[in-house]
Amino acid sequence: MSMIKEIEKLKKERNAIILAHYYQPGEIQGIADYVGDSYYLSKIAQQSEADYIVFCGVEFMAESAKILSPEKRVFIGNVHSNCNMVDEFLNEELVQLMEDHPDAAVVSYINSSTEIKTMSHACCTSSSAVDIVNNIESEKIIFVPDKNLGSYIAAQCPDKEVILGSGKCCVHDNVSAREVKSLKETHPQSKVLVHPESIKDVRDLADFIGSTGQILNHAIDSEHDEFIIVTEVGIGFALEEKTENKVFHFPDMVCGGMKRTSIEDVYGCLKFGDNEIQVNEEVSNKAAMALENMIKLAEKR
Ligand code: 13P
Ligand code: SF4
Protein backbone atom coordinates (compact mmCIF):
# COMPACT_ATOMS: atom_id res chain seq x y z
CA MET A 1 0.00 0.00 0.00
CA SER A 2 1.30 3.53 -0.75
CA MET A 3 2.29 5.67 2.20
CA ILE A 4 -0.52 8.15 1.47
CA LYS A 5 -3.09 5.30 1.54
CA GLU A 6 -1.54 4.05 4.81
CA ILE A 7 -1.91 7.55 6.24
CA GLU A 8 -5.60 7.61 5.26
CA LYS A 9 -6.13 4.22 6.92
CA LEU A 10 -4.28 5.20 10.10
CA LYS A 11 -6.25 8.44 10.33
CA LYS A 12 -9.51 6.48 10.48
CA GLU A 13 -8.16 3.93 12.97
CA ARG A 14 -6.92 6.64 15.35
CA ASN A 15 -9.70 9.20 14.79
CA ALA A 16 -6.96 11.57 13.69
CA ILE A 17 -6.82 14.79 11.67
CA ILE A 18 -3.90 16.44 9.91
CA LEU A 19 -3.59 20.23 10.17
CA ALA A 20 -1.21 22.16 7.91
CA HIS A 21 -0.19 25.81 7.82
CA TYR A 22 -0.08 27.60 4.45
CA TYR A 23 3.74 27.70 4.57
CA GLN A 24 4.06 23.90 4.61
CA PRO A 25 5.39 22.07 1.54
CA GLY A 26 2.70 21.54 -1.13
CA GLU A 27 2.58 17.76 -0.66
CA ILE A 28 1.81 18.23 3.05
CA GLN A 29 -0.95 20.77 2.34
CA GLY A 30 -2.24 18.23 -0.18
CA ILE A 31 -2.77 15.47 2.44
CA ALA A 32 -4.07 17.76 5.21
CA ASP A 33 -7.68 17.74 6.40
CA TYR A 34 -7.47 21.44 7.23
CA VAL A 35 -5.08 24.04 5.81
CA GLY A 36 -5.12 27.55 7.21
CA ASP A 37 -3.56 30.47 9.03
CA SER A 38 -2.58 30.32 12.71
CA TYR A 39 -5.94 31.49 14.05
CA TYR A 40 -8.01 29.10 11.96
CA LEU A 41 -5.82 26.13 12.85
CA SER A 42 -5.91 26.97 16.60
CA LYS A 43 -9.71 27.01 16.49
CA ILE A 44 -9.94 23.76 14.53
CA ALA A 45 -7.58 22.10 17.02
CA GLN A 46 -9.71 23.31 19.93
CA GLN A 47 -13.10 22.44 18.44
CA SER A 48 -12.33 19.19 16.64
CA GLU A 49 -13.64 15.91 18.03
CA ALA A 50 -10.54 14.07 16.84
CA ASP A 51 -8.51 12.20 19.47
CA TYR A 52 -5.24 12.65 17.64
CA ILE A 53 -3.94 15.77 15.87
CA VAL A 54 -0.90 15.75 13.59
CA PHE A 55 0.12 19.41 13.32
CA CYS A 56 2.25 20.28 10.30
CA GLY A 57 3.52 23.73 11.08
CA VAL A 58 6.10 25.08 13.51
CA GLU A 59 6.44 24.03 17.13
CA PHE A 60 4.57 26.90 18.81
CA MET A 61 1.49 26.05 16.70
CA ALA A 62 1.42 22.42 17.85
CA GLU A 63 2.13 23.45 21.46
CA SER A 64 -0.73 25.96 21.35
CA ALA A 65 -3.06 23.21 20.03
CA LYS A 66 -2.01 20.93 22.92
CA ILE A 67 -2.51 23.71 25.49
CA LEU A 68 -5.98 24.49 24.11
CA SER A 69 -6.90 20.77 24.05
CA PRO A 70 -4.87 18.95 26.71
CA GLU A 71 -7.12 15.89 26.47
CA LYS A 72 -6.07 15.28 22.84
CA ARG A 73 -2.85 13.69 21.68
CA VAL A 74 -1.02 16.29 19.57
CA PHE A 75 1.99 15.56 17.37
CA ILE A 76 4.31 17.91 15.49
CA GLY A 77 5.03 16.62 11.98
CA ASN A 78 8.78 17.23 12.33
CA VAL A 79 10.51 17.98 15.65
CA HIS A 80 12.98 20.41 14.06
CA SER A 81 10.22 22.77 12.90
CA ASN A 82 11.23 25.93 14.73
CA CYS A 83 10.15 29.56 14.35
CA ASN A 84 13.08 31.95 14.61
CA MET A 85 10.93 34.72 16.12
CA VAL A 86 10.10 32.41 19.05
CA ASP A 87 13.70 31.24 19.47
CA GLU A 88 15.25 34.72 19.48
CA PHE A 89 12.92 36.52 21.88
CA LEU A 90 14.08 36.31 25.49
CA ASN A 91 11.74 36.10 28.50
CA GLU A 92 13.95 38.69 30.28
CA GLU A 93 12.91 41.36 27.81
CA LEU A 94 9.23 40.87 28.66
CA VAL A 95 10.00 40.76 32.40
CA GLN A 96 11.79 44.13 32.08
CA LEU A 97 8.92 45.66 30.05
CA MET A 98 6.44 44.47 32.71
CA GLU A 99 8.57 46.04 35.45
CA ASP A 100 8.80 49.31 33.51
CA HIS A 101 5.05 49.39 32.73
CA PRO A 102 3.23 47.66 35.63
CA ASP A 103 -0.10 49.21 34.53
CA ALA A 104 -0.02 47.65 31.02
CA ALA A 105 -1.77 44.47 29.85
CA VAL A 106 0.48 42.01 27.99
CA VAL A 107 -0.62 40.78 24.57
CA SER A 108 1.71 38.23 23.03
CA TYR A 109 1.75 37.14 19.43
CA ILE A 110 1.03 33.39 19.29
CA ASN A 111 4.52 33.13 17.68
CA SER A 112 6.07 33.09 21.16
CA SER A 113 7.27 30.54 23.69
CA THR A 114 4.89 28.88 26.14
CA GLU A 115 6.66 30.80 28.97
CA ILE A 116 5.87 34.13 27.28
CA LYS A 117 2.24 33.00 26.99
CA THR A 118 2.13 32.27 30.76
CA MET A 119 3.04 35.94 31.38
CA SER A 120 0.37 37.27 28.99
CA HIS A 121 -3.22 38.42 29.45
CA ALA A 122 -4.06 37.36 25.91
CA CYS A 123 -2.38 35.94 22.84
CA CYS A 124 -3.22 36.99 19.31
CA THR A 125 -2.53 35.96 15.73
CA SER A 126 -1.97 38.32 12.83
CA SER A 127 -5.61 38.02 11.72
CA SER A 128 -7.02 38.66 15.21
CA ALA A 129 -4.45 41.13 16.64
CA VAL A 130 -6.27 44.39 15.93
CA ASP A 131 -9.60 43.12 17.33
CA ILE A 132 -7.89 41.73 20.43
CA VAL A 133 -5.96 44.91 21.20
CA ASN A 134 -9.13 46.99 20.66
CA ASN A 135 -11.23 44.64 22.80
CA ILE A 136 -8.86 44.27 25.76
CA GLU A 137 -9.89 46.61 28.59
CA SER A 138 -6.51 48.18 29.31
CA GLU A 139 -5.57 51.32 27.36
CA LYS A 140 -1.87 50.53 27.73
CA ILE A 141 -0.56 47.37 26.11
CA ILE A 142 2.84 45.67 25.99
CA PHE A 143 3.00 43.80 22.69
CA VAL A 144 5.69 41.11 22.18
CA PRO A 145 7.63 39.70 20.42
CA ASP A 146 7.10 41.15 16.92
CA LYS A 147 7.99 44.84 16.60
CA ASN A 148 6.67 44.94 13.00
CA LEU A 149 3.25 43.44 13.73
CA GLY A 150 3.23 45.57 16.91
CA SER A 151 3.80 48.83 15.02
CA TYR A 152 1.07 47.82 12.54
CA ILE A 153 -1.35 47.23 15.43
CA ALA A 154 -0.37 50.52 17.11
CA ALA A 155 -1.23 52.38 13.88
CA GLN A 156 -4.59 50.54 13.61
CA CYS A 157 -5.51 51.14 17.27
CA PRO A 158 -4.92 54.89 17.83
CA ASP A 159 -6.81 54.85 21.16
CA LYS A 160 -4.28 52.45 22.68
CA GLU A 161 -0.75 53.07 23.87
CA VAL A 162 1.27 50.13 22.54
CA ILE A 163 4.73 49.39 23.97
CA LEU A 164 6.72 47.22 21.58
CA GLY A 165 9.08 44.31 22.10
CA SER A 166 12.12 44.02 19.83
CA GLY A 167 11.37 40.65 18.15
CA LYS A 168 11.01 40.03 14.44
CA CYS A 169 10.61 37.30 11.84
CA CYS A 170 13.83 37.04 9.84
CA VAL A 171 11.89 35.93 6.75
CA HIS A 172 9.57 38.98 6.63
CA ASP A 173 11.91 41.53 8.20
CA ASN A 174 14.57 40.87 5.52
CA VAL A 175 12.37 42.02 2.64
CA SER A 176 13.14 45.65 1.74
CA ALA A 177 10.92 48.28 0.14
CA ARG A 178 13.48 48.41 -2.69
CA GLU A 179 12.89 44.71 -3.45
CA VAL A 180 9.12 45.16 -3.54
CA LYS A 181 9.39 48.32 -5.68
CA SER A 182 11.62 46.45 -8.11
CA LEU A 183 9.03 43.63 -8.41
CA LYS A 184 6.37 46.28 -8.95
CA GLU A 185 8.46 47.87 -11.74
CA THR A 186 8.75 44.49 -13.47
CA HIS A 187 5.04 43.67 -12.93
CA PRO A 188 3.33 47.08 -12.86
CA GLN A 189 -0.24 45.68 -13.06
CA SER A 190 0.23 43.73 -9.83
CA LYS A 191 -1.55 44.48 -6.58
CA VAL A 192 0.71 44.22 -3.53
CA LEU A 193 -0.55 41.96 -0.69
CA VAL A 194 1.57 42.10 2.47
CA HIS A 195 1.77 40.16 5.75
CA PRO A 196 1.93 42.49 8.79
CA GLU A 197 5.19 40.91 9.99
CA SER A 198 6.80 43.02 7.23
CA ILE A 199 8.61 46.28 7.94
CA LYS A 200 6.67 49.57 7.80
CA ASP A 201 8.33 50.73 4.52
CA VAL A 202 7.03 47.54 2.87
CA ARG A 203 3.59 47.81 4.49
CA ASP A 204 3.39 51.36 3.11
CA LEU A 205 3.57 49.90 -0.42
CA ALA A 206 0.67 47.50 0.21
CA ASP A 207 -2.73 47.51 -1.45
CA PHE A 208 -3.83 45.04 1.23
CA ILE A 209 -2.36 43.90 4.57
CA GLY A 210 -3.46 40.67 6.25
CA SER A 211 -2.70 37.23 7.62
CA THR A 212 -1.91 34.35 5.27
CA GLY A 213 -5.60 33.35 5.23
CA GLN A 214 -6.73 36.93 4.62
CA ILE A 215 -4.19 37.35 1.78
CA LEU A 216 -5.50 34.16 0.17
CA ASN A 217 -9.15 35.25 0.46
CA HIS A 218 -8.32 38.72 -0.85
CA ALA A 219 -6.58 37.27 -3.92
CA ILE A 220 -9.51 34.88 -4.56
CA ASP A 221 -12.15 37.62 -4.27
CA SER A 222 -10.22 40.36 -6.08
CA GLU A 223 -11.17 41.40 -9.60
CA HIS A 224 -7.43 41.76 -10.31
CA ASP A 225 -5.42 38.87 -11.68
CA GLU A 226 -1.79 39.67 -10.88
CA PHE A 227 -0.29 40.04 -7.41
CA ILE A 228 2.98 40.54 -5.58
CA ILE A 229 2.70 38.43 -2.41
CA VAL A 230 4.91 39.57 0.46
CA THR A 231 4.83 36.50 2.65
CA GLU A 232 6.35 33.02 2.66
CA VAL A 233 6.28 31.23 -0.71
CA GLY A 234 4.41 28.18 0.63
CA ILE A 235 1.14 30.08 0.33
CA GLY A 236 1.68 29.88 -3.45
CA PHE A 237 0.34 26.29 -3.31
CA ALA A 238 -3.08 27.36 -1.98
CA LEU A 239 -3.15 30.48 -4.19
CA GLU A 240 -2.61 28.36 -7.31
CA GLU A 241 -5.06 25.72 -6.14
CA LYS A 242 -7.89 28.13 -5.32
CA THR A 243 -7.63 30.59 -8.22
CA GLU A 244 -7.71 30.31 -11.99
CA ASN A 245 -5.70 32.41 -14.43
CA LYS A 246 -4.18 34.54 -11.68
CA VAL A 247 -0.44 35.20 -11.45
CA PHE A 248 1.60 35.56 -8.27
CA HIS A 249 5.09 37.02 -7.81
CA PHE A 250 7.11 36.56 -4.62
CA PRO A 251 10.22 38.13 -3.11
CA ASP A 252 12.72 35.49 -1.96
CA MET A 253 10.94 34.35 1.23
CA VAL A 254 11.44 30.83 2.58
CA CYS A 255 10.89 29.83 6.22
CA GLY A 256 13.29 26.92 6.87
CA GLY A 257 11.37 25.72 9.94
CA MET A 258 8.19 25.33 7.90
CA LYS A 259 9.83 23.25 5.21
CA ARG A 260 11.07 20.32 7.30
CA THR A 261 7.92 18.15 7.33
CA SER A 262 7.82 15.14 5.01
CA ILE A 263 5.12 12.56 4.21
CA GLU A 264 7.29 10.00 6.08
CA ASP A 265 7.18 12.23 9.18
CA VAL A 266 3.38 12.34 9.09
CA TYR A 267 3.27 8.57 8.67
CA GLY A 268 5.64 8.19 11.67
CA CYS A 269 3.36 10.33 13.86
CA LEU A 270 0.32 8.23 12.96
CA LYS A 271 1.91 4.79 12.89
CA PHE A 272 4.46 4.96 15.75
CA GLY A 273 3.33 7.99 17.77
CA ASP A 274 6.51 9.91 16.86
CA ASN A 275 6.95 13.53 17.95
CA GLU A 276 4.19 13.80 20.55
CA ILE A 277 3.91 17.24 22.17
CA GLN A 278 4.16 17.31 25.97
CA VAL A 279 3.60 20.48 27.98
CA ASN A 280 4.03 20.57 31.75
CA GLU A 281 0.52 20.70 33.29
CA GLU A 282 1.07 23.75 35.50
CA VAL A 283 2.67 25.73 32.65
CA SER A 284 -0.05 24.59 30.27
CA ASN A 285 -2.84 25.76 32.62
CA LYS A 286 -1.29 29.23 32.89
CA ALA A 287 -0.70 29.56 29.13
CA ALA A 288 -4.23 28.28 28.38
CA MET A 289 -5.74 31.41 29.89
CA ALA A 290 -3.97 33.66 27.34
CA LEU A 291 -4.91 31.39 24.43
CA GLU A 292 -8.54 31.10 25.56
CA ASN A 293 -8.67 34.90 25.96
CA MET A 294 -7.40 35.16 22.38
CA ILE A 295 -10.47 33.34 21.10
CA LYS A 296 -12.88 35.21 23.44
CA LEU A 297 -11.49 38.67 22.59
CA ALA A 298 -11.23 37.98 18.85
CA GLU A 299 -14.92 37.07 18.75
CA LYS A 300 -16.25 39.67 21.20
CA ARG A 301 -18.75 41.97 19.46
P1 13P B 1 -0.58 33.63 9.93
O1 13P B 1 -1.31 33.71 11.20
O2 13P B 1 -0.87 34.76 9.01
O3 13P B 1 -0.79 32.31 9.28
O4 13P B 1 0.99 33.81 10.21
C1 13P B 1 1.80 32.88 10.80
C2 13P B 1 3.20 33.17 10.59
O5 13P B 1 4.05 32.54 11.18
C3 13P B 1 3.58 34.23 9.68
O6 13P B 1 4.96 34.27 9.52
FE1 SF4 C 1 8.24 32.15 12.36
FE2 SF4 C 1 8.77 33.85 10.40
FE3 SF4 C 1 8.61 31.24 9.89
FE4 SF4 C 1 6.40 32.66 10.48
S1 SF4 C 1 7.74 32.88 8.68
S2 SF4 C 1 6.95 30.65 11.29
S3 SF4 C 1 7.24 34.09 12.00
S4 SF4 C 1 10.15 32.26 11.19
Side-chain angles (χ1 to χ4, degrees):
M1 203 188 299
S2 77
M3 198 168 274
I4 303 231
K5 283 212 176 107
E6 283 276 359
I7 287 174
E8 286 304 319
K9 186 168 150 264
L10 287 163
K11 267 187 355 188
K12 288 197 190 94
E13 283 170 20
R14 302 216 186 278
N15 188 26
I17 52 170
I18 300 173
L19 308 187
H21 187 265
Y22 286 126
Y23 296 163
Q24 285 288 294
E27 69 268 21
I28 299 296
Q29 294 188 44
I31 60 159
D33 298 289
Y34 300 91
V35 184
D37 67 11
S38 310
Y39 188 76
Y40 172 78
L41 294 175
S42 298
K43 277 202 72 176
I44 295 285
Q46 190 197 34
Q47 291 171 354
S48 163
E49 289 186 356
D51 298 315
Y52 210 99
I53 296 177
V54 180
F55 208 123
C56 302
V58 283
E59 198 179 11
F60 76 80
M61 295 179 176
E63 268 172 12
S64 300
K66 177 70 186 174
I67 293 166
L68 280 166
S69 298
E71 72 292 353
K72 293 175 190 147
R73 295 187 71 189
V74 179
F75 301 79
I76 176 87
N78 183 291
V79 272
H80 302 294
S81 303
N82 65 317
C83 165
N84 100 292
M85 187 181 324
V86 176
D87 297 346
E88 283 185 1
F89 190 76
L90 302 179
N91 296 352
E92 291 72 31
E93 182 174 334
L94 177 55
V95 170
Q96 187 62 54
L97 287 170
M98 290 167 80
E99 261 173 50
D100 294 346
H101 304 280
D103 51 338
V106 176
V107 177
S108 59
Y109 192 23
I110 195 167
N111 301 36
S112 58
S113 67
T114 303
E115 289 70 30
I116 294 285
K117 291 180 176 81
T118 64
M119 293 189 257
S120 306
H121 297 91
C123 289
C124 71
T125 63
S126 58
S127 67
S128 58
V130 170
D131 286 337
I132 288 167
V133 168
N134 272 328
N135 285 337
I136 208 161
E137 274 183 17
S138 172
E139 273 175 24
K140 194 169 174 186
I141 284 152
I142 295 170
F143 185 84
V144 292
D146 189 6
K147 62 180 179 180
N148 294 323
L149 176 62
S151 73
Y152 172 71
I153 296 167
Q156 300 295 309
C157 304
D159 297 339
K160 303 280 178 168
E161 182 188 349
V162 185
I163 295 131
L164 302 177
S166 69
K168 62 180 168 37
C169 158
C170 63
V171 179
H172 289 80
D173 191 76
N174 270 350
V175 177
S176 66
R178 200 169 64 178
E179 201 175 344
V180 178
K181 278 185 193 153
S182 149
L183 275 170
K184 184 82 182 170
E185 270 161 32
T186 320
H187 309 287
Q189 306 305 325
S190 298
K191 292 289 166 194
V192 181
L193 315 187
V194 173
H195 196 281
E197 287 176 12
S198 306
I199 61 171
K200 181 176 183 306
D201 287 356
V202 168
R203 296 197 310 268
D204 286 346
L205 300 171
D207 295 295
F208 175 80
I209 299 175
S211 73
T212 53
Q214 290 167 333
I215 287 176
L216 176 69
N217 288 336
H218 186 88
I220 294 170
D221 295 341
S222 169
E223 61 192 23
H224 296 278
D225 55 14
E226 193 172 356
F227 303 89
I228 293 164
I229 306 288
V230 187
T231 196
E232 213 268 354
V233 292
I235 197 176
F237 180 82
L239 285 166
E240 298 288 347
E241 201 182 49
K242 294 194 187 301
T243 61
E244 266 176 41
N245 304 322
K246 296 203 179 193
V247 182
F248 305 100
H249 310 287
F250 285 87
D252 181 18
M253 295 178 77
V254 179
C255 171
M258 280 283 185
K259 296 294 184 255
R260 307 228 154 89
T261 327
S262 66
I263 298 284
E264 288 77 7
D265 288 332
V266 176
Y267 175 77
C269 294
L270 287 162
K271 175 82 179 168
F272 308 114
D274 291 345
N275 311 341
E276 184 159 6
I277 297 283
Q278 309 284 359
V279 186
N280 166 289
E281 199 181 324
E282 201 186 321
V283 174
S284 176
N285 289 341
K286 279 194 201 157
M289 200 187 68
L291 283 163
E292 280 158 12
N293 280 341
M294 168 178 87
I295 292 173
K296 277 188 213 139
L297 288 164
E299 291 173 13
K300 188 171 153 188
R301 297 277 157 221

